[in-house]
Amino acid sequence: MSLNSFGHLFRVTTWGESHGPALGATVDGCPPGVDVDVAQLQGWLDRRKPGQNKYTTQRREADEVEILSGVFEGKTTGTPVQMMIRNTDQRSKDYGDIAEKFRPGHADITYWQKYGIRDYRGGGRSSARETAARVAAGGLARAALDKLAPGIEIRGYMTQVGPHGIDRASFDEAQIDQNPFWCPDAGAAAQWADYLDGLRKSGNSVGAICEVVARGVPAGLGAPIYGKLDTDLAAAMMSINAVKGVEIGEGMNAACLTGEDNADEIFLGNDGAPVYSSNHAGGILGGISTGQDLVVRFAVKPTSSILKTRQTITRRGEATEIVTKGRHDPCVGIRAVPVGEAMMALVVLDHLLLHRGQIGDGGGRIG
Amino acid sequence: MSLNSFGHLFRVTTWGESHGPALGATVDGCPPGVDVDVAQLQGWLDRRKPGQNKYTTQRREADEVEILSGVFEGKTTGTPVQMMIRNTDQRSKDYGDIAEKFRPGHADITYWQKYGIRDYRGGGRSSARETAARVAAGGLARAALDKLAPGIEIRGYMTQVGPHGIDRASFDEAQIDQNPFWCPDAGAAAQWADYLDGLRKSGNSVGAICEVVARGVPAGLGAPIYGKLDTDLAAAMMSINAVKGVEIGEGMNAACLTGEDNADEIFLGNDGAPVYSSNHAGGILGGISTGQDLVVRFAVKPTSSILKTRQTITRRGEATEIVTKGRHDPCVGIRAVPVGEAMMALVVLDHLLLHRGQIGDGGGRIG
Amino acid sequence: MSLNSFGHLFRVTTWGESHGPALGATVDGCPPGVDVDVAQLQGWLDRRKPGQNKYTTQRREADEVEILSGVFEGKTTGTPVQMMIRNTDQRSKDYGDIAEKFRPGHADITYWQKYGIRDYRGGGRSSARETAARVAAGGLARAALDKLAPGIEIRGYMTQVGPHGIDRASFDEAQIDQNPFWCPDAGAAAQWADYLDGLRKSGNSVGAICEVVARGVPAGLGAPIYGKLDTDLAAAMMSINAVKGVEIGEGMNAACLTGEDNADEIFLGNDGAPVYSSNHAGGILGGISTGQDLVVRFAVKPTSSILKTRQTITRRGEATEIVTKGRHDPCVGIRAVPVGEAMMALVVLDHLLLHRGQIGDGGGRIG
Amino acid sequence: MSLNSFGHLFRVTTWGESHGPALGATVDGCPPGVDVDVAQLQGWLDRRKPGQNKYTTQRREADEVEILSGVFEGKTTGTPVQMMIRNTDQRSKDYGDIAEKFRPGHADITYWQKYGIRDYRGGGRSSARETAARVAAGGLARAALDKLAPGIEIRGYMTQVGPHGIDRASFDEAQIDQNPFWCPDAGAAAQWADYLDGLRKSGNSVGAICEVVARGVPAGLGAPIYGKLDTDLAAAMMSINAVKGVEIGEGMNAACLTGEDNADEIFLGNDGAPVYSSNHAGGILGGISTGQDLVVRFAVKPTSSILKTRQTITRRGEATEIVTKGRHDPCVGIRAVPVGEAMMALVVLDHLLLHRGQIGDGGGRIG
């Protein structure tokens, strides 16, 4: 069972542990002839890289991606693309204390219960380091989208840190790259900086909400019933470490709306294509894209490795206390933004390929 | 691509349209020797059946399940189980008006854009009728769980209708079956009855939130990274018609918590197994079950077939208005409760089988 | 695990037992807009139907196919197609003797050892009846090919019965439908008739070799390394009951050839496309179609249900003798011909869809 | 679509080109706690390694395997195992002549037609070098079998080179490792040496037949209908480069047998388990193992890269001649023996895990 794989036709298998020699992504099913610019791939990885500011873990990793197969003379060949990232900063001594103790809120205990193996060097496979491989695969997916469906834009940002949400009225896309939080609201960014400084100093952490939007996605991607676009997006986002909730369009708030309010009314655009009065649906109806923006949100729980003392037990069954020293993220949600973008790119490309396979150039026209 | 299939080892493919001759579920991978009691299966279907009270669609369907294969002398044989439900009430004239018009908020338009086929007899494949097949498959999964992991209980209920949520302090499991809303809070149930009466009379509809809990699930089910238990639960719930958000444990609220607050502290129980001070995690850490209750919530948007007039277009590209007459659900979320339970059963059984395959009787012990 | 499924994008799951109420095929991934003519589907099934002459089992089955979903107004809708065939002639008393005894050479014993369930009514799932569902699915695949790649012809025939092979010099395609053996050599057909009469009277059975050819398959279908066209064809044919060997092109005889002899030399055709001096490769190089005829052969072992006395044991572990009375095939290979054709259609269509998904209109041109 | 993957639960994806930086195998689904001895893995690779004698290609490759993930302190962790082999001898100049010309009988032309990419450095993905990754994965599978089902032995050997077959009466397993051909018949080995010397000197090549036997495989592995053990074995062997035919037990010869002759009669062994009078079935009935030896044969066509002049065309559509200089195998079948063993190990382990998942400790007993 490819339990470490994601995608139907553009199939990504990530591998590697946080403190092993390397990690990476094996991508099977990438169309041939896609231009692969390693510098561009590296650019995506650099956005996720730890240690770039005081709000993310101070672990230093070059996160340099090496392409081992599937690319020849700068183009994909249609065979598997292997992308490897060597781990360089493997100071596992930082984790010595947790070889025996289980961190509350962490996968330590469940990995032990499942596998009977304790990779005490770090989170092992459950570490956020795994997401570097996703970003590499997502970068390849973006390159493939550029060839197959030029004009698709994928953009992620944070909308909430702890109790502090952005003000949608102050949304300014240009702000996103201007602060360490991918925050589209300058006021919120300032507030978050203060808030996170306090948390960081006290050795605590906090959760966050990320939103990812894909623009320019053609209508018709997705498929009933279990290969729905929203099903795959939900799986994609929920598979990211520490994510506890996923929303499409109105999300959980859909519960509060009446049918009258929720209906995105349909009109004819100047080009004869349908336009909608609103996007409560988040760009998906019946599991299939409408052509509107795809809008996905997900909540990331706070990092469980904190300096606060918590009660726990050891592998031997002894009650004890734990304080996790080391280099951790006060708000791991920050680094989840590029990961969410990568997952969006994977899902959109995958469904584009599925659509080509089953439908080809067909599909219904309006008018 | 099995886009209409769900599950890894216990693989369910649903088929059938709302107004075709029949619908059903093809289940591949059911272990042999499971006792199949057709009356019990029928009992699960009856809970989801439409037309049982004034808060759900008045379409009358017997929803009688016929087992065509895979069961011999009351036991599964290990070969595919085919469960068929004939459609009996196919009054498609109710839908005549929508053969040309697209209902805002409905899959009409995206199915057309994708497939170029308009199954104007009803929602076709996108109808909530498809979920009858899921409930049949879920019933079989429960029977398999009874054999393989006796003691697992799966229970769903509604926690919110429109803006009206339950009072957790008044939670009384015994109430769930005492009202038409699977509502665990008698006070909320009364409030919902009034609220929905008003909506129904005005031809409007509203969204809802359902919660499904699985008790007695052993620790160790699930797998990194894309076969996580929460990933599969998110996909399972998001695949249900009209669902727009999925939460595990704290869900979207995890964004508001600090690491200190979110940590479910670990203690030793009397039997030496770990016990937790709380369950913010919803029973899942690192994608693997902790042994605590699995807690999943999902939001269902309001039915899009309403008597309110909305702006839309026709297949020919003409601007028009639409009012959908017919027999519809003022709150389709009500019937989603048994469906959510079914999906929970499918996911838990599937991961139990996966665990047996990869791990056998192994796994780590504590103490 | 979809162990009863076949195909990547055009995914067929067969279900049903030889003496249960019905059997059928669930097809997921059929492109929309394919014309489905039930009479034509029925025509394919009629070719495989038992009881048509004295050389096949005398069981009488109408093998009438009913389409339960996925087709609307004569066209596929893109949603799962369910095709059901009711079993009508279920005289299970014929099998009374084998409820306890294992037939040598039959799946009786392994099904028991695996599942602990004895479906003594007949072969259950291991019966050749299952292949009716494949032929139905194959008929749908042919219809889809007619739409997507018109001009592909798939033709099967027998080349050997027991020790008697056809004379390739006397190959006459027009003969295939003129005898009960799908034999392209009139002389061999006469010889087989005599030979099988003798075997039938003595209660014995014999093996056979079938060959299936697909003409007009475009170059470029297939994919390295495990999704090769020949890999999937080998799996397809080996999955047919009683098949013990599969060959592509030269097949086992490739061992005897030198590289010089085996090389199919390449020339330019009048239209600029490559033409080959020979087809040792059977139309496949590196797992990808060359545009030449696809040529597959498979050997079918003799039916194990025979009137000859053989030594065996019972389920209780007693030594005994067995003679299998009932209605059986003296040469089950005869009915395997339409099944082999169906499997060829499934594989070719599946790879056509895969190619569209990954490659679209791309691929390299010569010249 | 994981077209470069093999296996259901023990899932192997191979990646890499013959003249790229590296190749390897990503293995997902390996049970935890398997002892991994890198020296032992290397031992399997060394058996397949080119350049070991004058009968295989003179390319020199260390074929040193590096484990990048999934193994910690000498044991598998249950997470993906990445095994990488760096290419060291990449003298692509040897291939300069074939950048434009298509080798008859080679995948050059079909890869071009499919992907529009010519990896002229060597066979690229279609090279036999890919099989090194399979042998590494097979070595891991053997280690897992040692833990889960100790006592299974897998042994491959050659039974035919060109027209020269072994004498089964002279079969001596001890001989297999005593000659460069994995030949169990000393007389045949001597004959093959002479025969291949002649071919090599003349720049020609020849085909071969390999047989792989697995002993000690428990009864009950496999599953109807498309997940049959023989279906998967046929796919496994046909997926090896240059294989054109696959046989189980009697194979193609099953066509010649009568039902009476083909029936492997069943008796009771001293331990109450069934014993068989013969093994025409090759250890598989109805797609499920009988407990007898699994016997698989496959034919490997002659290498297409030869010094003989053949007619061909160029990518530009010009008629020309080709003579392939370079370092090639006069009989690539020799190196296919360890690859066939590896594939057998993958299939047996995979079905063992599937059986555990679906059946657990169940299954029927005799007596």
Side-chain angles (χ1 to χ4, degrees):
Chain A
M1 195 81 287
S2 262
L3 293 174
N4 288 274
S5 297
F6 186 80
H8 304 277
L9 287 180
F10 189 87
R11 189 132 178 102
V12 176
T13 305
T14 67
W15 53 271
E17 284 80 44
S18 69
H19 287 70
L23 54 86
T26 310
V27 180
D28 196 2
C30 186
V34 172
D35 290 308
V36 177
D37 177 344
V38 178
Q40 195 177 47
L41 270 189
Q42 193 61 52
W44 298 119
L45 278 159
D46 290 348
R47 295 180 74 224
R48 192 214 68 98
K49 207 163 68 172
Q52 304 192 99
N53 60 57
K54 62 185 174 182
Y55 305 107
T56 60
T57 174
Q58 294 308 297
R59 177 171 173 166
R60 299 280 167 185
E61 284 290 353
D63 274 0
E64 204 173 312
V65 64
E66 184 182 358
I67 297 178
L68 297 176
S69 68
V71 176
F72 182 52
E73 299 184 335
K75 285 187 188 296
T76 56
T77 60
T79 61
V81 180
Q82 181 60 265
M83 294 180 284
M84 178 175 70
I85 299 162
R86 292 273 179 190
N87 288 320
T88 53
D89 184 357
Q90 306 168 33
R91 272 185 290 166
S92 60
K93 66 176 156 46
D94 288 354
Y95 290 88
D97 191 36
I98 61 168
E100 290 298 318
K101 297 178 181 178
F102 299 118
R103 282 167 285 183
H106 194 277
D108 287 343
I109 190 166
T110 52
Y111 270 58
W112 170 253
Q113 287 177 306
K114 182 170 195 83
Y115 297 114
I117 295 281
R118 187 73 193 271
D119 185 345
Y120 50 76
R121 299 168 297 173
R125 185 74 181 140
S126 70
S127 162
R129 249 198 99 47
E130 182 271 342
T131 59
R134 302 180 186 225
V135 173
L140 182 62
R142 286 183 195 250
L145 284 172
D146 283 347
K147 175 181 160 79
L148 301 180
I152 294 177
E153 281 174 59
I154 294 170
R155 198 69 174 99
Y157 41 86
M158 301 251 288
T159 62
Q160 189 175 324
V161 169
H164 307 295
I166 61 166
D167 175 3
R168 291 270 169 181
S170 305
F171 193 105
D172 175 7
E173 192 165 326
Q175 285 297 316
I176 296 174
D177 290 326
Q178 305 302 317
N179 58 70
F181 312 111
W182 318 108
C183 179
D185 168 2
Q191 188 184 34
W192 296 352
D194 283 350
Y195 177 68
L196 288 175
D197 277 339
L199 275 176
R200 191 170 50 83
K201 283 171 190 158
S202 72
N204 210 341
S205 62
V206 77
I209 293 181
C210 306
E211 187 167 284
V212 181
V213 173
R215 293 194 193 98
V217 174
L221 304 195
I225 295 288
Y226 306 103
K228 289 175 167 179
L229 191 55
D230 36 5
T231 299
D232 284 356
L233 283 170
M237 301 309 170
M238 194 63 94
S239 77
I240 302 173
N241 313 49
V243 170
K244 301 302 283 186
V246 180
E247 301 187 314
I248 309 287
E250 284 289 337
M252 299 306 289
N253 188 51
C256 300
L257 298 182
T258 64
E260 187 175 13
D261 293 338
N262 186 62
D264 300 315
E265 291 183 298
I266 316 176
F267 300 89
L268 283 171
N270 292 333
D271 60 351
V275 293
Y276 295 83
S277 62
S278 51
N279 190 12
H280 298 290
I284 303 176
L285 289 173
I288 298 172
S289 61
T290 62
Q292 290 186 276
D293 287 358
L294 298 183
V295 182
V296 183
R297 269 183 311 286
F298 55 93
V300 184
K301 72 177 185 182
T303 322
S304 51
S305 299
I306 51 176
L307 278 166
K308 299 290 184 181
T309 305
R310 307 307 297 159
Q311 299 298 312
T312 192
I313 61 175
T314 68
R315 203 168 53 167
R316 296 175 206 282
E318 301 146 336
T320 183
E321 290 185 337
I322 188 165
V323 173
T324 312
K325 291 164 189 158
R327 305 157 301 174
H328 301 293
D329 292 60
C331 181
V332 75
I334 299 171
R335 289 200 290 140
V337 169
V339 181
E341 290 178 347
M343 298 311 290
M344 175 69 91
L346 293 180
V347 172
V348 171
L349 173 61
D350 196 30
H351 277 276
L352 193 74
L353 298 177
L354 282 170
H355 187 79
R356 288 212 307 186
Q358 199 195 8
I359 310 292
D361 294 327
R365 318 240 160 231
I366 292 172
Chain B
M1 195 82 286
S2 262
L3 293 174
N4 287 274
S5 297
F6 185 81
H8 305 277
L9 287 180
F10 188 87
R11 188 129 179 106
V12 176
T13 305
T14 68
W15 53 271
E17 283 81 43
S18 68
H19 287 71
L23 54 86
T26 309
V27 180
D28 196 3
C30 186
V34 172
D35 290 309
V36 176
D37 177 344
V38 177
Q40 196 176 48
L41 269 188
Q42 192 61 54
W44 299 120
L45 278 159
D46 290 347
R47 296 179 75 223
R48 192 214 69 98
K49 205 163 67 172
Q52 304 194 98
N53 59 57
K54 62 185 172 181
Y55 305 107
T56 60
T57 174
Q58 294 307 298
R59 176 171 174 167
R60 300 279 166 183
E61 283 290 354
D63 274 0
E64 205 171 310
V65 66
E66 184 183 357
I67 297 178
L68 297 176
S69 69
V71 176
F72 182 52
E73 299 184 336
K75 284 187 188 296
T76 56
T77 60
T79 60
V81 180
Q82 181 60 265
M83 294 180 284
M84 179 175 68
I85 298 162
R86 290 271 180 192
N87 288 321
T88 54
D89 184 358
Q90 306 167 34
R91 275 185 287 167
S92 59
K93 66 177 157 49
D94 289 353
Y95 291 89
D97 191 38
I98 61 169
E100 290 298 319
K101 298 178 182 179
F102 299 118
R103 282 167 284 183
H106 195 278
D108 288 341
I109 190 166
T110 51
Y111 270 58
W112 170 253
Q113 288 177 306
K114 183 173 193 80
Y115 297 114
I117 295 282
R118 186 74 193 270
D119 185 347
Y120 51 76
R121 299 167 298 175
R125 185 75 181 140
S126 70
S127 162
R129 249 199 99 46
E130 182 270 343
T131 59
R134 303 181 187 223
V135 172
L140 182 63
R142 285 182 195 250
L145 284 172
D146 282 348
K147 176 180 158 81
L148 302 180
I152 293 177
E153 281 173 58
I154 293 168
R155 199 69 175 100
Y157 42 85
M158 301 251 287
T159 62
Q160 189 174 325
V161 169
H164 306 296
I166 61 167
D167 175 4
R168 292 269 169 181
S170 304
F171 193 106
D172 176 7
E173 191 165 326
Q175 285 296 317
I176 296 174
D177 290 326
Q178 305 304 314
N179 59 69
F181 312 111
W182 318 108
C183 178
D185 168 0
Q191 187 185 35
W192 296 352
D194 284 349
Y195 177 69
L196 288 175
D197 276 338
L199 275 175
R200 189 171 50 82
K201 284 169 190 160
S202 72
N204 210 340
S205 63
V206 77
I209 294 181
C210 305
E211 186 167 286
V212 182
V213 173
R215 294 195 192 96
V217 174
L221 304 196
I225 294 289
Y226 306 103
K228 287 174 166 178
L229 191 55
D230 36 5
T231 299
D232 284 356
L233 284 170
M237 301 310 170
M238 193 63 95
S239 77
I240 302 173
N241 314 50
V243 170
K244 301 303 283 185
V246 181
E247 301 188 315
I248 308 286
E250 284 289 337
M252 299 305 291
N253 188 49
C256 301
L257 298 183
T258 65
E260 186 174 15
D261 293 337
N262 185 62
D264 301 314
E265 291 183 299
I266 315 175
F267 300 88
L268 282 170
N270 292 332
D271 60 352
V275 292
Y276 294 83
S277 62
S278 51
N279 189 12
H280 299 290
I284 303 175
L285 290 173
I288 298 172
S289 61
T290 62
Q292 290 185 277
D293 288 358
L294 298 183
V295 182
V296 183
R297 268 182 312 285
F298 55 93
V300 183
K301 72 176 185 182
T303 322
S304 51
S305 299
I306 51 176
L307 278 166
K308 299 288 185 183
T309 304
R310 308 307 294 161
Q311 298 298 313
T312 191
I313 60 175
T314 68
R315 204 167 53 167
R316 296 175 206 282
E318 302 146 334
T320 183
E321 291 186 337
I322 188 165
V323 173
T324 313
K325 290 163 190 159
R327 305 158 299 174
H328 300 293
D329 292 59
C331 180
V332 75
I334 299 171
R335 288 201 289 140
V337 169
V339 181
E341 290 177 349
M343 298 311 291
M344 175 69 92
L346 293 180
V347 172
V348 171
L349 173 61
D350 196 31
H351 277 277
L352 194 73
L353 298 177
L354 282 170
H355 187 78
R356 287 213 305 187
Q358 198 195 9
I359 310 292
D361 294 328
R365 318 239 160 232
I366 292 172
Chain C
M1 195 81 290
S2 261
L3 293 174
N4 288 273
S5 298
F6 186 80
H8 304 278
L9 287 180
F10 189 87
R11 188 131 179 104
V12 176
T13 305
T14 68
W15 53 270
E17 284 80 44
S18 68
H19 288 70
L23 54 85
T26 310
V27 180
D28 197 3
C30 186
V34 172
D35 290 309
V36 177
D37 177 345
V38 177
Q40 195 177 48
L41 269 188
Q42 193 60 53
W44 298 120
L45 278 159
D46 291 347
R47 296 179 73 224
R48 192 214 70 97
K49 208 164 65 173
Q52 303 194 98
N53 59 57
K54 62 185 173 182
Y55 304 107
T56 60
T57 172
Q58 294 307 299
R59 178 172 174 165
R60 299 279 167 184
E61 284 289 354
D63 274 0
E64 203 172 313
V65 65
E66 184 181 357
I67 297 178
L68 296 175
S69 68
V71 176
F72 182 52
E73 299 184 334
K75 286 186 187 297
T76 56
T77 60
T79 61
V81 180
Q82 181 60 263
M83 293 180 284
M84 178 175 70
I85 298 162
R86 290 273 179 190
N87 288 321
T88 54
D89 184 357
Q90 306 168 33
R91 275 184 287 166
S92 61
K93 64 176 158 50
D94 288 354
Y95 292 88
D97 191 38
I98 60 169
E100 290 298 320
K101 297 178 182 179
F102 298 118
R103 282 167 284 183
H106 194 277
D108 287 343
I109 190 166
T110 51
Y111 270 58
W112 170 253
Q113 288 177 305
K114 182 171 194 84
Y115 297 114
I117 295 281
R118 186 74 192 271
D119 184 347
Y120 51 75
R121 298 167 298 173
R125 185 74 181 140
S126 69
S127 162
R129 245 194 107 46
E130 182 269 343
T131 59
R134 302 181 186 223
V135 173
L140 182 62
R142 286 182 194 252
L145 284 172
D146 283 347
K147 176 181 159 80
L148 302 180
I152 293 178
E153 280 174 59
I154 293 170
R155 198 69 175 101
Y157 41 85
M158 302 251 288
T159 61
Q160 189 175 324
V161 168
H164 307 294
I166 61 167
D167 175 4
R168 292 269 169 183
S170 306
F171 193 106
D172 175 7
E173 192 165 326
Q175 286 296 317
I176 296 174
D177 289 326
Q178 305 303 317
N179 59 70
F181 312 111
W182 317 108
C183 178
D185 167 1
Q191 187 184 34
W192 296 353
D194 283 349
Y195 177 69
L196 288 175
D197 276 338
L199 275 175
R200 190 172 49 84
K201 283 171 192 160
S202 72
N204 210 341
S205 63
V206 77
I209 294 181
C210 305
E211 187 167 284
V212 181
V213 173
R215 294 194 193 98
V217 175
L221 303 195
I225 296 290
Y226 306 104
K228 288 175 167 180
L229 191 55
D230 37 4
T231 299
D232 284 356
L233 283 170
M237 301 310 170
M238 193 63 95
S239 78
I240 301 172
N241 312 50
V243 170
K244 301 303 284 185
V246 181
E247 301 187 315
I248 308 286
E250 284 289 338
M252 299 306 290
N253 187 49
C256 300
L257 298 181
T258 64
E260 187 174 13
D261 293 337
N262 185 61
D264 301 315
E265 292 182 297
I266 316 176
F267 299 89
L268 282 171
N270 291 333
D271 60 350
V275 292
Y276 295 83
S277 62
S278 52
N279 190 11
H280 298 290
I284 303 175
L285 290 174
I288 298 172
S289 61
T290 61
Q292 290 185 276
D293 288 357
L294 299 183
V295 183
V296 182
R297 268 182 311 286
F298 55 93
V300 183
K301 72 176 183 181
T303 322
S304 51
S305 299
I306 51 176
L307 279 166
K308 299 290 185 183
T309 305
R310 307 308 295 160
Q311 299 298 311
T312 191
I313 61 175
T314 68
R315 202 167 55 167
R316 294 174 207 285
E318 302 147 335
T320 184
E321 290 185 338
I322 189 165
V323 173
T324 312
K325 291 163 191 159
R327 304 158 300 173
H328 300 293
D329 292 61
C331 181
V332 75
I334 299 172
R335 290 200 290 140
V337 169
V339 182
E341 290 178 348
M343 299 310 291
M344 175 69 92
L346 294 180
V347 172
V348 171
L349 173 61
D350 196 30
H351 277 276
L352 193 73
L353 298 177
L354 282 170
H355 187 78
R356 288 212 305 186
Q358 199 195 5
I359 310 293
D361 294 327
R365 318 240 160 231
I366 291 172
Chain D
M1 194 81 289
S2 262
L3 293 174
N4 288 273
S5 297
F6 185 81
H8 305 277
L9 287 180
F10 188 88
R11 188 130 179 105
V12 177
T13 305
T14 67
W15 52 272
E17 284 81 44
S18 68
H19 287 70
L23 53 86
T26 310
V27 180
D28 196 3
C30 186
V34 172
D35 290 309
V36 177
D37 176 346
V38 178
Q40 195 176 47
L41 270 188
Q42 192 61 52
W44 299 119
L45 278 159
D46 290 347
R47 296 180 73 223
R48 192 213 70 97
K49 207 163 65 172
Q52 302 193 99
N53 60 57
K54 62 185 172 182
Y55 305 106
T56 60
T57 173
Q58 294 308 299
R59 178 171 173 166
R60 300 280 166 184
E61 283 290 353
D63 274 359
E64 204 172 311
V65 64
E66 184 182 358
I67 297 178
L68 296 175
S69 68
V71 176
F72 181 52
E73 298 183 337
K75 286 186 188 296
T76 57
T77 60
T79 60
V81 180
Q82 181 60 264
M83 293 180 285
M84 179 176 68
I85 299 162
R86 290 273 180 191
N87 288 321
T88 53
D89 185 356
Q90 305 167 33
R91 275 186 288 166
S92 59
K93 64 174 158 49
D94 289 354
Y95 291 88
D97 191 37
I98 61 168
E100 289 298 320
K101 297 179 182 179
F102 299 118
R103 282 167 284 183
H106 195 276
D108 287 342
I109 190 167
T110 51
Y111 270 58
W112 170 254
Q113 287 177 305
K114 183 171 194 82
Y115 297 114
I117 294 282
R118 187 75 193 270
D119 185 347
Y120 50 75
R121 298 168 298 173
R125 186 72 182 141
S126 70
S127 162
R129 242 192 108 47
E130 182 270 344
T131 60
R134 301 182 187 223
V135 173
L140 182 63
R142 286 183 195 250
L145 284 172
D146 283 347
K147 176 181 160 78
L148 302 180
I152 293 177
E153 281 173 58
I154 293 169
R155 198 70 174 101
Y157 41 86
M158 300 251 288
T159 61
Q160 189 175 323
V161 168
H164 307 294
I166 62 167
D167 175 3
R168 292 270 169 181
S170 305
F171 193 104
D172 176 7
E173 191 165 327
Q175 285 297 318
I176 297 173
D177 289 327
Q178 305 303 317
N179 58 71
F181 312 109
W182 317 108
C183 178
D185 169 1
Q191 188 185 33
W192 296 351
D194 283 350
Y195 177 69
L196 288 175
D197 277 338
L199 275 175
R200 191 171 50 83
K201 283 170 192 160
S202 72
N204 210 339
S205 64
V206 77
I209 294 181
C210 305
E211 187 168 284
V212 181
V213 173
R215 294 195 193 98
V217 174
L221 303 195
I225 296 290
Y226 307 103
K228 288 175 165 178
L229 192 54
D230 35 6
T231 299
D232 284 356
L233 283 170
M237 301 310 169
M238 193 63 94
S239 77
I240 302 172
N241 314 48
V243 170
K244 300 303 284 186
V246 181
E247 302 187 314
I248 308 287
E250 284 289 337
M252 298 307 289
N253 188 48
C256 301
L257 298 182
T258 65
E260 188 174 13
D261 293 338
N262 185 61
D264 300 315
E265 291 184 298
I266 316 176
F267 300 89
L268 282 171
N270 291 332
D271 60 351
V275 292
Y276 294 83
S277 62
S278 51
N279 190 12
H280 297 290
I284 303 176
L285 289 172
I288 298 171
S289 61
T290 62
Q292 290 186 276
D293 287 358
L294 298 183
V295 183
V296 183
R297 267 182 313 285
F298 54 93
V300 184
K301 72 176 184 181
T303 322
S304 51
S305 299
I306 50 176
L307 280 166
K308 300 289 184 183
T309 305
R310 308 306 296 158
Q311 299 297 312
T312 192
I313 60 175
T314 68
R315 204 168 53 166
R316 296 176 206 281
E318 302 147 334
T320 183
E321 291 186 335
I322 187 166
V323 173
T324 312
K325 291 164 190 158
R327 304 157 302 173
H328 300 293
D329 292 60
C331 181
V332 75
I334 299 172
R335 289 200 291 140
V337 169
V339 182
E341 290 178 347
M343 298 312 289
M344 175 69 91
L346 293 180
V347 172
V348 171
L349 173 61
D350 196 31
H351 277 277
L352 193 75
L353 298 176
L354 282 170
H355 187 79
R356 288 212 306 187
Q358 199 196 9
I359 310 292
D361 294 327
R365 317 242 160 229
I366 292 172

